[in-house]
Amino acid sequence: MSTDTDARHHDLAEALRATVAGEAGVTEASLRIATAARAAGGPPVDQPYDTLARQIGDASYRVTDAEVDAVRQATGGDKATFEIVMSACVGAGLARWDAAARAIEEATDAPA
């Protein structure tokens, strides 16, 4: 059974997804979407985005300056690089959020 708080959290998660996929930004929405999906365990994307997104999804604390610099060189700027990094972070975070929400919903001993 869902509560108002659950619905609000779901709405906020969907707003994050929509922001990554939105047209506003320096980078192409398709690249941000693909990067977010890759960080969540999705299919590979072009280099150097793939390496950075995969690392953010697997172990973000291990991201190197070289990985970020490679993306900066590919995008041509700090704002675009920030968008790629944040898209990967949102993708990885929402994948974990989705898994946790499913686990809570499926739990037989969860309070109603």
Side-chain angles (χ1 to χ4, degrees):
M1 184 173 285
S2 182
T3 67
D4 288 340
T5 301
D6 294 338
R8 178 74 175 135
H9 288 160
H10 173 77
D11 291 346
L12 290 171
E14 291 309 309
L16 276 174
R17 280 185 233 286
T19 299
V20 168
E23 292 302 316
V26 177
T27 57
E28 293 291 325
S30 60
L31 178 59
R32 293 190 311 271
I33 293 165
T35 302
R38 179 60 170 153
V45 295
D46 291 339
Q47 289 296 346
Y49 312 108
D50 190 75
T51 299
L52 180 62
R54 192 170 27 85
Q55 187 69 301
I56 288 171
D58 292 344
S60 61
Y61 65 94
R62 290 188 178 167
V63 169
T64 66
D65 290 343
E67 291 166 343
V68 175
D69 286 340
V71 170
R72 185 178 295 116
Q73 287 178 358
T75 63
D78 289 339
K79 287 182 181 182
T81 301
F82 177 79
E83 287 181 6
I84 297 302
V85 169
M86 288 308 300
S87 295
C89 292
V90 168
L94 287 177
R96 288 168 177 83
W97 167 262
D98 292 341
R102 280 190 307 275
I104 290 169
E105 191 166 308
E106 292 170 1
T108 57
D109 61 341

